[in-house]
Structure formats: structure tokens, C-alpha cells
Amino acid sequence: MQIARRGLAALMLTPLAQRLARPALAQSAWPERPIRLVVPFGAGGNLDTLIRIVSPSMSQRLGQPVVVENRPGAGGNLGTENVARAAPDGYSILVGSNGALVNNPLLMARLPFDPARDFAPIGLGFRTPNVLVVAPRFPAQTLPDFVAYAKARPGQVACASAGTGTTNHLLIELLNAATGAGLLHVPYRSSGAATPDMLSGALASSMDQITTALPQHRDGALKMIGIGLPERLASLPEVASFAEVGLENGGLTSFIGLLAPAGTPAGPIAKIQAAFSAALADPALRQRIEAIGNLIAKPEEQTPEGFNRVIESERILSRRAVQLAGLKPE
């Protein structure tokens, strides 16, 4: 018996045994170094703001620094590709949204990554509704009146977006199809870029993210009259849902979630998902997030399976909107 024990101990000291044991040890010890959350846009935007609100809480729960890294460029493609090509070890995580994951594959003929093949969803974190905003002196100041006014003047009522192929542009197309409003799409260079023209009265309306439009709505400079959700928000009961004028489920929303490179082990994904969901459940953080107009994802959407279903649903709806707009991959 003693000889057998000595033999087993000797075996455990061999290089082969040590190599075989190393994956299990690494798995249990993960994370052993900082984790980077790659934001594929510049600092200061809504996506960047949201992930910086929750990253300190995630760091506390994971026991390692969670570092936000901005890698802007090519409509989100540069940062997205960076994570797609990273080692699948859980230390490089994408903060993903509609643009690179849904819209760009429908509109760009060549992408350096495949969202469905190259990523493993971790969990959805936030939804950012898009809203229809009108100038203060525009004749129609409710959503039904606005639709009726536009239908009587097809192609004459301009509605701005943050650019061709963006989520708010695609929502304009879905609203036109559902209501027959015949809005004239006017692409601007970014979210909020149309605000000066709205304030001057040179532009009738705009489809914008709620986070951009909410300050002007609250101070009365502009007026939100419609929101891309299945029902009205309790915090904004005066703003009608697009579902009220016939757009099924209110149309598209902008989403933000975490994804790992494909092939990342289940252990790190589960730990990141648990830390992310715990941060989202913190009442103080929720209050900060909702105060600027964002919505926390439902618990069932915060799982890998739930987030994957959200992405697939958005792909179907966005593909339809792209077809309605007559857009082709370039």
C-alpha cells in the first residue's frame, strides 16, 4: 500500500500529470488578470456611459479589474473584429449593439467577422428606445395627429435619423409601412446632429435615441410624441407607443449586451454573466441607468440563451426594414 501511494505521488510530479491538471486549475482560478470590455465606439456615448456605470460593480464581484477599452472606427467594426480575433479565454469581451451585430451584416458586403459564427453571447444588459421627436411649433403634437398629418402629405414631412441603415432609420421605415405615413427620411451624421435644425424649425421631426432627446423633452425645447416600445413607459406616460398606431410590438429598440469570442469556455462566461446580472440588479445603478432613459434587460434576456434570442429577433425585424428601405449591401 505504501509503495502504491509513493508511486501515485511520483506520477503526480511528472510534467505530463502537471500539464493534464493545469486546465482544471486554470478553470477554477479564473480570472487571474484584468478583463477588458471593448467598446467599439468613442468615449462619452450612451453605450460607453452604461458599461462604465456597471464595470466597477463587476470588478468587485470578479475580484479583478474590469477595464473599459474604447476601440472606435468603421461603424463599430474595428472594435468588434478585435474581440472576434482575441483569444477565447474570457479576458476580452465585446460590448455589442445592433450596429455591428445586426445592421452592418445586412448593409456591408464584406465584414472581417461573422457575428453568428465568431461570438458567444453572454447576456443582454440594456435596451435604449428610439423616439419620434417633433419641433415645438409643428402642427401635429400627438402621435395619431402626426401620422394623419403626414399621410395627408406623403413624402413632404421630413424625419431625420443618425444615418442610413441605423436602427432609428430602420424604425422610420417600419413606421411608414405600418401606418402609411410616408415620412421622408433625412440622414444626418450622428444621433442628435439634427437637433439644431429641429430647434430652428427647419426640420419637422426626428427619430432619435431617447437618451439624446430626453433632456430637450424635459425642458420643453422639443417634444417626444412616440416611442419604439410595445407600451408606454411609466416614467413618460405622455409619450405614446408606436404600437398604438399599428406598429407591432412598437418596432425596433437599440440593445447593448456582452459577448465573448466563440470557443470561450463555459466557466468564464458563467462568471461574467453572473457578475453582469448582479450589477444590473443593484438598485442604485438601476436608478442611474433608467434616469437617462435606458431600460434594464429582463432577467430571462440576461442569459446567453435569452440574449441570443433577442439578437435573432432583431435580425429578422431589421432585415425586413432593410428590404422596405430598398437598401443593398455595399
Side-chain angles (χ1 to χ4, degrees):
M1 181 66 71
Q2 290 179 347
I3 294 173
R5 286 175 179 168
R6 289 195 192 102
L8 180 60
L11 176 62
M12 291 303 291
L13 292 175
T14 65
L16 174 60
Q18 290 171 357
R19 284 198 300 271
L20 291 174
R22 197 171 294 146
L25 291 173
Q27 182 87 352
S28 62
W30 192 96
E32 296 178 306
R33 64 177 191 267
I35 299 160
R36 65 186 188 118
L37 300 181
V38 177
V39 173
F41 301 100
N46 184 57
L47 187 152
D48 180 70
T49 298
L50 289 174
I51 208 63
R52 289 181 188 277
I53 289 175
V54 299
S55 57
S57 176
M58 293 178 64
S59 177
Q60 287 183 339
R61 288 170 169 83
L62 290 168
Q64 289 287 345
V66 175
V67 181
V68 178
E69 181 178 314
N70 297 91
R71 283 183 171 258
N77 288 346
L78 291 184
T80 302
E81 181 187 9
N82 177 268
V83 177
R85 303 288 173 256
D89 54 14
Y91 292 104
S92 296
I93 302 298
L94 175 68
V95 186
S97 59
N98 306 60
L101 298 176
V102 175
N103 299 351
N104 292 359
L106 295 173
L107 299 168
M108 297 181 180
R110 294 180 182 84
L111 281 179
F113 56 85
D114 181 330
R117 180 196 65 208
D118 295 337
F119 292 99
I122 296 174
L124 181 67
F126 320 95
R127 289 184 183 272
T128 304
N130 292 285
V131 293
L132 180 64
V133 184
V134 296
R137 293 181 295 277
F138 190 73
Q141 292 285 302
T142 68
L143 183 59
D145 288 348
F146 178 86
V147 170
Y149 184 94
K151 286 178 70 172
R153 300 161 181 82
Q156 298 179 38
V157 178
C159 188
S161 79
T164 299
T166 57
T167 300
N168 41 38
H169 167 215
L170 299 183
L171 185 52
I172 293 171
E173 302 295 342
L174 292 173
L175 186 63
N176 275 341
T179 65
L183 298 171
L184 174 65
H185 171 233
V186 181
Y188 278 69
R189 68 183 182 276
S190 64
S191 182
T195 299
D197 287 343
M198 295 275 292
L199 293 172
S200 71
L203 181 67
S205 65
S206 174
M207 192 74 75
D208 209 345
Q209 285 194 350
I210 189 172
T211 50
T212 304
L214 191 56
Q216 285 86 10
H217 176 77
R218 284 175 170 162
D219 66 20
L222 298 173
K223 185 174 182 180
M224 296 191 306
I225 61 171
I227 189 166
L229 291 172
E231 56 191 21
R232 299 188 184 203
L233 278 178
S235 59
L236 291 167
E238 72 278 13
V239 182
S241 161
F242 290 141
E244 296 174 35
V245 292
L247 180 51
E248 185 178 359
N249 293 323
L252 293 163
T253 59
S254 298
F255 66 78
I256 300 168
L258 301 183
L259 304 97
T264 299
I269 285 180
K271 289 184 178 182
I272 294 170
Q273 190 276 332
F276 192 39
S277 289
L280 296 173
D282 185 297
L285 297 190
R286 291 181 71 97
Q287 185 176 20
R288 290 177 61 191
I289 290 164
E290 292 171 352
I292 55 177
N294 296 283
L295 306 178
I296 302 292
K298 298 175 182 177
E300 61 269 23
E301 297 173 333
Q302 295 175 22
T303 66
E305 299 78 15
F307 187 19
N308 191 59
R309 286 192 294 269
V310 169
I311 295 172
E312 289 302 320
S313 174
E314 293 292 322
R315 282 183 182 138
I316 293 170
L317 199 54
S318 293
R319 186 176 294 111
R320 177 172 172 243
V322 164
Q323 292 169 347
L324 288 169
L327 302 174
K328 304 293 183 183
E330 296 181 357

